[in-house]
Amino acid sequence: VQLQASGGGLVQAGGSLRLSCAASGSIFSINAMGWYRQASGKQRELVAVITSSGSTNYGDSVKGRFTISRDGAKSTVYLQMNSLKPDDTAVYYCNAGRNDYGLPFPYWGQGTQVTVSS
């Protein structure tokens, strides 16, 4: 499974960004996709996950501000990020796999940088 992420960039605090991640290859082997992030000097943390049935799970720090969605026909997952804060600055990684075996999933995309200025 290959994951191609896009949509990162620089935004002011309070602004919005949307990340996209398209899966290709053996997509029949996955039933969930999501996002992790890693800020400089910190551990990678869960941002959001969505299953093929539409169930979602969010990290506590993004609940109410970020929304994960999916387009099954395109094997693509989106992360709408609103009310961004400087603390959201991180490299965001797309993640995919089967949700039967716990988090994180085994497939990773390249990271995309999100920088939120104060």
Side-chain angles (χ1 to χ4, degrees), residues 58-100:
Y58 292 92
D60 289 341
S61 61
V62 307
K63 286 179 181 177
R65 300 187 297 121
F66 291 11
T67 302
I68 191 168
S69 60
R70 58 184 290 274
D71 182 334
K74 297 181 179 179
S75 299
T76 299
V77 64
Y78 305 97
L79 185 69
Q80 179 66 43
M81 306 184 291
N82 298 329
S83 302
L84 283 161
K85 305 174 182 179
D87 283 351
D88 296 315
T89 295
V91 178
Y92 285 68
Y93 295 92
C94 185
N95 185 234
R98 295 195 64 82
N99 66 334
D100 315 84

Side-chain angles (χ1 to χ4, degrees), residues 12-47:
Q12 288 188 332
S16 299
L17 280 175
R18 190 174 86 149
L19 305 182
S20 301
C21 176
S24 61
S26 301
I27 58 175
F28 60 86
S29 66
I30 63 174
N31 66 357
M33 295 179 70
W35 296 91
Y36 280 73
R37 69 185 182 185
Q38 187 166 20
S40 179
K42 295 186 178 180
Q43 290 188 330
R44 194 171 294 191
E45 64 172 352
L46 172 71
V47 177

